[in-house]
Amino acid sequence: MDQPKIERLLRLMKLLTANTTYTVDELAERLKMSRRTVYRYIDTFREAGFVIKKTGDCIRLDKTSPHFKEISQLVHFTEEEAVILKRAIESVDDTNVLKQNLKRKLYSIYDNKTLADTVVKGPLAGVVHTLIEAIEEGRQVVLKGYRSAHGSRVSDRRVEPFSFTTNYVQVWCYEPESDSCKSFKTARIGSVELLDTPWQHATKHREGFTDLFRMNSQERTRVRLELGLRAYNLLLEEFPLAERCLTQLSDGRWLLDTEVADFAGVGRFVVGLLDDIRILEPLALKEYLHQYIERHFHLE
């Protein structure tokens, strides 16, 4: 089999095992190939022993298929892990003949938004397993005993799960009661009850925005910060994806220009470095931090 075909098969495998489901037309559009070619490649997976599942018009590779576990354990970079590896590769001397090959292989993963799953273990395994089953089969669930981040409210939430964030930390769901898409932290879910009711609102399923501080929301707010050396170094250590949003202003000063889902993530970062960060915009972030400091440190 020629190398271009192998690469196309691997790209198709990533889409067929992603947390978001796709129709054949969507797969053909994303991979820039014909429907006929997509069907031919799917037949190739079937002949190799993979189990093909179809839910409505969407097609997936069953994760219980032979060989799948071994493959997923080999390719499981998150986007942040890929950034760190990229830095390590860039530090290699340009005369090293392996450098370009390593960069090419890594970028093929780094540029793809549907990275392979990270295996979840421990108490969360059952929760995540049921949610994956619900997504694959297009069924509603009840998140039993969900602990809200705001206050001590514990409640059952009937939702339609449709996608996970990196490492299954959160699951995106459509909630009929509020008629909106929300992210729920898997660690706050007591258990999951899988219902026989199929999705009723698939056309409303929309993933929210995840910012570099790993916060999620349907909203975006532009933030511009001027950072000193200490803040710059700590930002890159804690949030590697910030690298693409940074511009050096002068010796020892950098501009962070990015969008955030809400002020909670960026706010926690700024509070610990108030003497080394200047907020350029928005004014609302300054007001948020003022209220945050008053609330937590009881200042007047």
Side-chain angles (χ1 to χ4, degrees), residues 170-221:
Q170 301 184 64
V171 58
W172 280 104
C173 303
Y174 172 79
E175 185 177 50
E177 182 179 354
S178 61
D179 188 26
S180 62
C181 293
K182 300 179 178 180
S183 63
F184 295 87
K185 284 198 172 183
T186 53
R188 294 189 182 137
I189 301 172
S191 62
V192 180
E193 179 186 351
L194 183 61
L195 305 178
D196 292 330
T197 309
W199 287 344
Q200 304 292 316
H201 310 275
T203 58
K204 296 184 178 182
H205 294 182
R206 296 287 185 276
E207 286 187 44
F209 165 61
T210 302
D211 64 29
L212 64 88
F213 297 96
R214 309 184 189 104
M215 305 302 294
N216 299 282
S217 173
Q218 297 290 340
E219 306 298 327
R220 297 176 182 232
T221 303

Side-chain angles (χ1 to χ4, degrees), residues 11-263:
R11 289 169 58 204
L12 177 59
M13 177 181 285
K14 289 179 183 180
L15 292 178
L16 290 175
T17 56
N19 292 319
T20 302
T21 55
Y22 299 97
T23 65
V24 171
D25 287 334
E26 290 170 335
L27 291 168
E29 181 180 355
R30 284 175 170 266
L31 297 173
K32 308 300 182 187
M33 62 177 65
S34 68
R35 284 169 50 90
R36 183 177 178 181
T37 300
V38 172
Y39 277 119
R40 189 170 69 250
Y41 285 178
I42 289 173
D43 285 339
T44 299
F45 287 132
R46 186 180 288 110
E47 291 168 4
F50 288 92
V51 177
I52 307 299
K53 296 185 68 174
K54 190 171 183 180
T55 304
D57 294 329
C58 297
I59 295 178
R60 294 183 58 81
L61 276 181
D62 192 334
K63 295 179 182 179
T64 63
S65 300
H67 318 307
F68 180 78
K69 183 176 181 181
E70 290 81 358
I71 292 172
S72 65
Q73 288 174 340
L74 289 172
V75 185
H76 67 279
F77 293 125
T78 66
E79 193 173 6
E80 285 187 308
E81 289 170 338
V83 171
I84 293 171
L85 287 171
K86 171 180 173 290
R87 290 181 192 165
I89 292 172
E90 292 292 356
S91 69
V92 176
D93 193 309
D94 285 333
T95 60
N96 191 312
V97 295
L98 296 178
K99 180 173 181 176
Q100 292 306 315
N101 284 339
L102 288 170
K103 287 174 63 175
R104 177 178 57 79
K105 292 177 181 179
L106 177 60
Y107 291 169
S108 70
I109 299 172
Y110 173 66
D111 292 338
N112 196 301
K113 299 302 180 183
T114 54
L115 304 176
D117 299 324
T118 299
V119 177
V120 176
K121 299 178 181 179
L124 285 182
V127 167
V128 170
H129 175 80
T130 306
L131 288 170
I132 290 174
E133 184 178 354
I135 292 172
E136 291 180 342
E137 298 181 3
R139 293 160 64 181
Q140 292 186 354
V141 302
V142 176
L143 307 181
K144 309 287 286 186
Y146 184 75
R147 303 184 300 279
S148 173
H150 307 289
S152 56
R153 181 189 172 203
V154 178
S155 60
D156 294 346
R157 314 286 284 270
R158 186 185 183 108
V159 298
E160 296 180 357
F162 57 86
S163 181
F164 288 97
T165 62
T166 301
N167 293 346
Y168 300 116
V169 172
Q170 301 184 64
V171 58
W172 280 104
C173 303
Y174 172 79
E175 185 177 50
E177 182 179 354
S178 61
D179 188 26
S180 62
C181 293
K182 300 179 178 180
S183 63
F184 295 87
K185 284 198 172 183
T186 53
R188 294 189 182 137
I189 301 172
S191 62
V192 180
E193 179 186 351
L194 183 61
L195 305 178
D196 292 330
T197 309
W199 287 344
Q200 304 292 316
H201 310 275
T203 58
K204 296 184 178 182
H205 294 182
R206 296 287 185 276
E207 286 187 44
F209 165 61
T210 302
D211 64 29
L212 64 88
F213 297 96
R214 309 184 189 104
M215 305 302 294
N216 299 282
S217 173
Q218 297 290 340
E219 306 298 327
R220 297 176 182 232
T221 303
R222 186 185 183 191
V223 167
R224 297 174 73 245
L225 307 175
E226 184 179 329
L227 312 178
L229 180 60
R230 185 161 61 96
Y232 168 80
N233 287 333
L234 287 174
L235 180 68
L236 289 181
E237 288 175 10
E238 295 183 28
F239 307 102
L241 296 183
E243 183 177 24
R244 60 193 179 193
C245 306
L246 288 163
T247 304
Q248 187 161 12
L249 299 173
S250 61
D251 189 23
R253 305 299 294 178
W254 284 265
L255 171 68
L256 173 67
D257 190 340
T258 188
E259 292 181 317
V260 298
D262 62 39
F263 292 147

